[in-house]
Amino acid sequence: MFQHLKCIALLFRLNMNFRILLLFFAWFITFLLPMDSFSQFNPLVNSKDFALYPEVETGNIQGYIYDEKGIAIPNANIIILENLRGTTSDEKGRFLIKNIAAGNYNIKISHIAFETLTKNIIITSDQTTEMNIQLKSTSFLIGGIEVIASSELIPTEAASKTYIYGGEIEHYQASSVKDVLDLVPGIQKTDNSNLGKFSQAAIRGDETDKLSSLGTFVMVDGMPISNNANMQFERMQNINTGISNLGGGVDLRTIPADNIESIEVVSGLPSVKYGDLTEGLINIKTKTGIQKQRLKIKNNPDTRELNLGGGFSFQERKLNYNFNFARSERDVRKVGDEYSRLTGQLIFSNPILIDNLSVNHKVGYQIIFDEEEPKGDVYRIKNYNRGFDIGYSTWGKYFLTEDKSNNIEFNGYINLRKENSMMSRLIQSDLRILPNGDTVSSYIGKVETKGNEWLVGANLTYNNYFFTGDFLHRILAGTELRYETNTGKGIVFDTLFSYYGVESGKRPYSYENTPKQILFSLFTEDIITGKFPFDFDLTIGFRYEMYRPTSFNISGIFGNGDLVQSKHGSFFNPRLSLFVPLSEFNQLRINYGTTSKSPALNYLYLPEDVLKWRNPNNNSIVYLRYNRFAPDLKGFKEKQLEISYDQKFREAIGVTLSFYYKERRNEFEEQPIPVFVNTIVNGVEKNYYIDNYAVIKNLGWTISKGIEFILKTKKIEPLNMTFQVVGSYSFLNRSRNGFEFDPSPNILKGQIPNYKPTSGSDTLIGFVFPPKGSWSDRLQFNYLIRYTLPKLGLWVTFRAEQIVFERNQFYSLEPMDFTKLNTSEQLNFNFDREMRRKNSKWLLDINISKSLFTGSEISFYVNNFIDDSAVWQYSSSPTTISEIKRNPPIYYGIEFSMILEDLF
């Protein structure tokens, strides 16, 4: 163990590029050599486990895992506790572990929906011991909803994760993944289940901060749902539709919730298998394989939804399908402001050669009709987004050994998102004479976005395990390649009847001129399990991410630049975690590492800025054009540290306490550039300040830290209840480097002009000072009571959200002599910089699911059932008191579902 720690310490002191070469070389050797060959080179390999020496007597274990009805249980975990050898059961419930030294062992069998079982077994030399194991189910059905009672009180992995299963999603009656995230600890519920507005997520971040949302990685069935290629610079956004997700995260409305099998939300550091992220991972798996044909119908005050899905098998092959239609009204009193979503998918699962290779194929299609055309609107506004999405992905696993411990996972995908959006409005102007001699004083201005977002990618991961002495190594190594681009006409409008107005100098913008984005990554990870002097899991890994790589730099080995030169940066991201079971009832988890995020294309290739200026010499109109492309913009990086302590009390209560610190540097931020025109007026040279245009640079930074507390109980049988309390405190501080510019400094207030507009002038015009920043924090508690009664087919969940306080403050670094301000200016000065605190509030929700007849159930929910608006009164100015409603209004919904086979 000391040798391992010394090597680790030495590794992190080496030059970064040398570390990359060293780790990649180790990965390459491990990848090429089979397990037995590797063992022959390593004298520390434990021969009792691999039977490399003929004098060691070994045997095998094979078995069958099934439930009380005799039905096979796939994906059950089987682990030998004495040496941590393990495997999982296949689709037929079978498993095999080979080459185990003869002796007495304890075998642990577990599955999320069943009680964990430990059995003693004796391994006999040259024999295969059979184990037929029945597990007792902890789940039950309410109609078609599977209620799973998790048996784990504290985490079993080093990273902080939340697992949400399909039954809970259905019980919650979520319409999209955005609704599901309300079930994640620390997430504040701000809206009801409605599809009318853009929605995005930020794990341990601020969803209103676009970079936090952009850095939240969303994956569905192994395919990333990327927003890197989104270039909809002209997409409708207002109080009804919400803020556009341009430059932010994925619009989660596009992912239906009804066909989800499970969601894994990683709020800490994920495995190195996942990259191009900073804020966390949302890993979604949809239903596959054999499923009964099931129809679901939802209804709430403004949303209707229908879902039909199922799956069947033929000759060892399985075909699963799902179709979903949802429609939301933004305002039920209006016609012409609807959002409609039609989604379908087919998944074909094909075990080739039965035990050696399994392959899945998925085809998905989605059409969006997002309309806004208020009837009777005097400005004749009409907006829409009528795009579609079509994709294909394949994933699977090839087993290199009979016991399936040595395998290769693969994944490939291609996705096309068609953008077809339009905005139009009435433009009124002075009388104009057209080229054909006609005159107009008003017209309908229209701007369209016509483009294609392409995402093509693949990844390959090799998995294996081996022993060095008494230490078990579970390794993975692989590579990932992603290609993203925009094609098409881009932003299209008639410059004669411009949407932007008669005197606008803007021009159409084609996507064909924007370069492509290529992301290439190498990664490797080793999970070392052993005892010295206590049991531990030590994870050491790294991911080398290259954002649009251009060339290999051999001198980078010696520290002269990056080893691989990339247009938008190459990032070495090490990750280290330690999982220590201190006893049977408590454990310690420590995670440290870095992640990075590539620039999205909408940050790299912004449309040009056009500034209008009237020349005082002849009153002519001049349009000044500025290219805002940022082809050399680099990605940004985040480092994260998390320390967690978990404690169980008598197998009845589990408590987790976590502390985390995150720091992002070199974020994408706009830097305003003041524009001056130097001209001669009446024989005198004069500088005119025109306006600002903005360029994107690596200037921003964000620091976030927090504490999370989770307490949950086992089911209290006399009450048929479980309880959970989640507390979270989060703090964010953000600002940027660069400068702010004030064109009209006030000398009487201590602001001395300090900006020189042109290199050939000695005149100082304007005032430059450091940018402003802000901080915010929040203390939140979530309470959950879950009541289940299988005999009656009843499931009731009560949720309460308590915001103890929310605070925020903006701080300006603009120099100003406070003593030279008058009374009104001093009042405004203090008002702009004071801390604002929102008072405490509660939000109470209830969900009820009840079986009706075989295969059928009805679910009902009420959000904010006490109809508390949580009004907050605040000062919007030094002399004005305003108020806002912090809780969404009372809201309710109902769902009915039935299994069609059971009905007939």
Side-chain angles (χ1 to χ4, degrees):
M1 180 59 184
F2 279 124
Q3 295 300 321
H4 283 90
L5 294 178
K6 287 179 180 178
C7 290
I8 294 167
L10 178 61
L11 180 63
F12 280 88
R13 292 178 61 186
L14 292 173
N15 170 270
M16 183 187 74
N17 290 314
F18 187 75
R19 280 182 273 169
I20 298 169
L21 277 183
L22 182 62
L23 288 171
F24 182 71
F25 178 75
W27 162 76
F28 186 73
I29 293 297
T30 308
F31 181 81
L32 291 179
L33 293 177
M35 184 169 59
D36 290 348
S37 299
F38 183 86
S39 303
Q40 293 172 3
F41 286 108
N42 194 332
L44 297 178
V45 168
N46 194 329
S47 60
K48 69 181 180 182
D49 291 300
F50 290 103
L52 296 180
Y53 302 94
E55 64 270 16
V56 177
E57 299 177 341
T58 65
N60 307 324
I61 304 174
Q62 71 176 19
Y64 172 62
I65 313 294
Y66 60 98
D67 63 14
E68 297 100 324
K69 298 179 181 180
I71 300 174
I73 302 175
N75 301 315
N77 297 308
I78 302 96
I79 297 177
I80 304 173
L81 296 180
E82 282 73 16
N83 61 19
L84 298 177
R85 292 278 302 278
T87 187
T88 58
S89 58
D90 61 19
E91 291 293 326
K92 298 181 179 180
R94 306 291 301 180
F95 71 92
L96 171 67
I97 305 177
K98 299 181 68 177
N99 296 330
I100 308 166
N104 196 315
Y105 294 93
N106 291 294
I107 311 296
K108 180 180 176 181
I109 306 98
S110 63
H111 190 283
I112 184 62
F114 296 86
E115 289 186 355
T116 299
L117 181 67
T118 302
K119 293 184 70 73
N120 184 267
I121 188 172
I122 297 176
I123 302 298
T124 305
S125 175
D126 297 326
Q127 293 188 19
T128 298
T129 303
E130 288 280 346
M131 293 184 68
N132 293 324
I133 301 167
Q134 182 186 89
L135 295 182
K136 183 179 179 181
S137 175
T138 60
S139 66
F140 65 93
L141 289 177
I142 296 178
I145 297 178
E146 184 180 17
V147 185
I148 296 176
S150 176
S151 59
E152 301 295 343
L153 290 173
I154 57 177
T156 58
E157 302 175 73
S160 293
K161 297 181 180 181
T162 300
Y163 289 96
I164 305 170
Y165 295 96
E168 190 170 7
I169 294 171
E170 292 185 64
H171 174 61
Y172 194 64
Q173 297 177 57
S175 293
S176 69
V177 171
K178 171 62 177 177
D179 302 330
V180 180
L181 296 183
D182 292 341
L183 305 175
V184 177
I187 298 293
Q188 181 179 1
K189 184 179 178 67
T190 55
D191 291 302
N192 285 310
S193 180
N194 181 288
L195 300 174
K197 291 185 177 182
F198 291 104
S199 63
Q200 49 192 8
I203 308 302
R204 282 183 179 169
D206 182 358
E207 66 181 61
T208 62
D209 172 31
K210 291 201 168 186
L211 291 183
S212 291
S213 299
L214 182 68
T216 300
F217 188 56
V218 181
M219 174 179 287
V220 179
D221 293 329
M223 183 175 78
I225 310 300
S226 174
N227 208 38
N228 285 341
N230 180 5
M231 298 185 72
Q232 291 193 78
F233 298 110
E234 297 297 346
R235 189 172 186 176
M236 58 180 180
Q237 52 179 325
N238 52 49
I239 191 172
N240 296 320
T241 63
I243 299 174
S244 169
N245 64 330
L246 178 71
V250 174
D251 186 359
L252 298 178
R253 296 178 301 172
T254 61
I255 309 175
D258 272 314
N259 192 43
I260 292 176
E261 181 178 287
S262 67
I263 297 182
E264 174 192 21
V265 180
V266 182
S267 53
L269 281 166
S271 167
V272 297
K273 289 191 297 183
Y274 308 106
D276 195 36
L277 59 86
T278 54
E279 293 308 301
L281 167 71
I282 302 174
N283 190 7
I284 302 167
K285 293 184 179 179
T286 60
K287 295 177 181 178
T288 60
I290 302 172
Q291 303 279 339
K292 290 188 175 182
Q293 323 311 308
R294 189 161 170 231
L295 175 69
K296 290 188 279 186
I297 302 172
K298 291 181 185 175
N299 184 38
N300 64 40
D302 53 29
T303 302
R304 314 288 183 268
E305 187 172 359
L306 183 144
N307 193 87
L308 177 64
F312 49 89
S313 65
F314 52 95
Q315 298 180 347
E316 298 291 338
R317 296 169 176 82
K318 302 178 182 67
L319 181 66
N320 186 281
Y321 72 91
N322 186 263
F323 298 99
N324 179 277
F325 176 76
R327 183 181 178 91
S328 267
E329 301 278 353
R330 292 191 174 93
D331 189 334
V332 295
R333 300 166 298 180
K334 296 180 180 180
V335 177
D337 65 342
E338 299 82 16
Y339 175 94
S340 300
R341 179 191 70 195
L342 176 62
T343 308
Q345 72 172 40
L346 292 173
I347 298 180
F348 178 70
S349 303
N350 181 25
I352 303 174
L353 303 178
I354 307 301
D355 291 328
N356 296 83
L357 176 65
S358 62
V359 182
N360 301 279
H361 306 274
K362 174 181 175 181
V363 177
Y365 185 77
Q366 183 175 80
I367 306 176
I368 297 294
F369 295 97
D370 194 1
E371 309 290 329
E372 187 184 33
E373 187 178 5
K375 300 302 180 184
D377 180 61
V378 295
Y379 296 104
R380 300 170 67 178
I381 290 175
K382 181 179 180 180
N383 303 322
Y384 66 71
N385 175 38
R386 297 171 182 168
F388 69 83
D389 193 293
I390 185 169
Y392 165 77
S393 61
T394 180
W395 69 95
K397 187 178 291 188
Y398 177 68
F399 300 100
L400 300 172
T401 56
E402 190 178 2
D403 63 0
K404 302 182 180 180
S405 62
N406 191 351
N407 60 74
I408 296 175
E409 295 178 273
F410 56 89
N411 184 27
Y413 46 84
I414 180 171
N415 193 80
L416 166 64
R417 183 181 301 156
K418 179 72 174 182
E419 298 295 350
N420 177 23
S421 60
M422 187 273 288
M423 298 191 301
S424 66
R425 59 177 177 158
L426 178 66
I427 305 295
Q428 294 178 321
S429 65
D430 297 330
L431 189 67
R432 302 177 63 207
I433 301 176
L434 302 181
N436 62 3
D438 294 338
T439 59
V440 296
S441 61
S442 65
Y443 62 89
I444 299 296
K446 181 174 69 172
V447 59
E448 297 176 282
T449 300
K450 303 285 188 180
N452 306 305
E453 295 180 21
W454 290 94
L455 170 65
V456 183
N459 59 65
L460 189 70
T461 304
Y462 171 75
N463 301 279
N464 194 6
Y465 70 79
F466 57 86
F467 281 84
T468 56
D470 293 327
F471 299 106
L472 171 66
H473 298 260
R474 286 166 288 170
I475 66 167
L476 65 85
T479 183
E480 180 179 12
L481 177 65
R482 281 163 56 187
Y483 171 89
E484 298 177 85
T485 188
N486 284 82
T487 60
K489 295 181 179 179
I491 301 172
V492 180
F493 59 91
D494 187 338
T495 55
L496 185 60
F497 300 102
S498 175
Y499 173 85
Y500 308 100
V502 176
E503 295 186 347
S504 171
K506 287 190 175 183
R507 295 181 295 193
Y509 176 71
S510 174
Y511 290 157
E512 300 295 341
N513 299 325
T514 58
K516 324 307 179 189
Q517 179 73 302
I518 296 176
L519 282 66
F520 181 55
S521 302
L522 299 170
F523 55 87
T524 184
E525 184 177 84
D526 185 4
I527 304 176
I528 306 168
T529 302
K531 185 172 184 178
F532 186 85
F534 41 75
D535 294 330
F536 69 89
D537 279 349
L538 176 63
T539 302
I540 306 169
F542 85 96
R543 186 179 179 100
Y544 191 52
E545 305 206 49
M546 294 152 275
Y547 302 141
R548 200 175 161 200
T550 56
S551 62
F552 184 80
N553 176 28
I554 191 66
S555 64
I557 298 175
F558 309 102
N560 185 15
D562 293 323
L563 183 63
V564 176
Q565 293 182 337
S566 302
K567 192 71 174 177
H568 307 302
S570 297
F571 295 86
F572 177 76
N573 293 319
R575 301 179 198 173
L576 181 70
S577 67
L578 179 64
F579 182 96
V580 181
L582 302 174
S583 72
E584 183 182 354
F585 298 101
N586 59 354
Q587 61 193 28
L588 180 67
R589 295 178 290 126
I590 302 174
N591 294 272
Y592 175 78
T594 65
T595 54
S596 60
K597 181 71 189 79
S598 68
L601 292 176
N602 49 62
Y603 288 103
L604 294 170
Y605 306 109
L606 287 165
E608 67 176 3
D609 247 1
V610 180
L611 304 181
K612 176 184 170 183
W613 177 63
R614 185 180 297 275
N615 191 324
N617 286 328
N618 52 22
N619 289 325
S620 63
I621 300 297
V622 178
Y623 293 101
L624 306 173
R625 303 184 180 278
Y626 294 94
N627 187 334
R628 294 196 294 160
F629 280 16
D632 297 320
L633 187 70
K634 306 300 182 185
F636 63 86
K637 196 167 186 175
E638 177 178 272
K639 64 179 179 182
Q640 180 177 164
L641 171 66
E642 181 182 30
I643 301 174
S644 302
Y645 175 77
D646 310 300
Q647 176 74 52
K648 285 195 295 187
F649 298 93
R650 297 187 178 181
E651 295 294 341
I653 299 175
V655 175
T656 293
L657 187 64
S658 299
F659 304 85
Y660 68 87
Y661 174 87
K662 302 195 297 182
E663 181 179 306
R664 294 200 311 249
R665 297 289 178 180
N666 298 320
E667 296 175 334
F668 316 136
E669 288 286 348
E670 287 190 345
Q671 172 60 64
I673 305 297
V675 174
F676 293 84
V677 172
N678 185 274
T679 187
I680 305 297
V681 179
N682 297 325
V684 180
E685 183 178 2
K686 188 172 182 179
N687 275 311
Y688 287 92
Y689 168 72
I690 306 303
D691 203 344
N692 295 326
Y693 75 95
V695 294
I696 304 294
K697 295 187 176 183
N698 294 108
L699 297 174
W701 56 265
T702 299
I703 294 175
S704 60
K705 48 191 174 183
I707 304 172
E708 295 177 347
F709 167 81
I710 301 175
L711 182 150
K712 58 183 177 179
T713 70
K714 284 268 192 178
K715 185 175 182 179
I716 303 173
E717 295 297 342
L719 300 176
N720 292 312
M721 291 182 179
T722 59
F723 298 86
Q724 179 174 295
V725 179
V726 176
S728 64
Y729 171 78
S730 59
F731 173 89
L732 284 91
N733 185 16
R734 61 169 65 99
S735 185
R736 66 177 179 88
N737 299 317
F739 63 87
E740 297 281 359
F741 177 78
D742 183 352
S744 304
N746 192 326
I747 299 177
L748 298 178
K749 298 174 184 177
Q751 298 178 332
I752 308 300
N754 60 1
Y755 186 80
K756 184 183 297 185
T758 60
S759 58
S761 171
D762 294 329
T763 304
L764 297 177
I765 302 176
F767 187 54
V768 170
F769 53 92
K772 65 181 179 181
S774 67
W775 67 266
S776 62
D777 67 347
R778 182 176 76 227
L779 177 61
Q780 173 178 337
F781 285 92
N782 292 81
Y783 309 89
L784 184 144
I785 301 175
R786 183 185 194 191
Y787 175 85
T788 54
L789 193 57
K791 291 182 179 180
L792 294 180
L794 180 64
W795 181 2
V796 180
T797 301
F798 170 77
R799 291 181 175 84
E801 176 186 281
Q802 179 192 13
I803 304 297
V804 181
F805 65 78
E806 289 182 276
R807 302 181 299 182
N808 67 84
Q809 185 176 20
F810 291 90
Y811 51 89
S812 174
L813 301 179
E814 181 178 5
M816 191 172 293
D817 190 341
F818 185 80
T819 61
K820 295 182 179 181
L821 304 181
N822 60 38
T823 303
S824 176
E825 291 170 336
Q826 289 180 354
L827 189 62
N828 288 324
F829 181 93
N830 291 325
F831 176 80
D832 292 339
R833 291 160 176 79
E834 71 179 13
M835 183 189 73
R836 290 167 174 78
R837 178 187 175 112
K838 297 180 181 179
N839 53 295
S840 177
K841 79 173 185 73
W842 288 82
L843 179 63
L844 307 179
D845 303 338
I846 190 168
N847 295 71
I848 302 172
S849 297
K850 176 69 175 69
S851 59
L852 297 177
F853 48 86
T854 302
S856 175
E857 88 287 330
I858 190 167
S859 297
F860 178 74
Y861 73 90
V862 183
N863 292 342
N864 191 13
F865 61 79
I866 63 173
D867 198 15
D868 178 13
S869 298
V871 174
W872 174 52
Q873 291 188 338
Y874 67 101
S875 299
S876 55
S877 74
T879 58
T880 305
I881 301 297
S882 302
E883 64 180 34
I884 60 171
K885 296 178 179 180
R886 299 171 61 203
N887 275 344
I890 186 170
Y891 199 76
Y892 54 88
I894 192 168
E895 175 185 289
F896 169 77
S897 81
M898 60 182 175
I899 297 174
L900 300 181
E901 292 98 325
D902 292 345
L903 179 66
F904 297 106

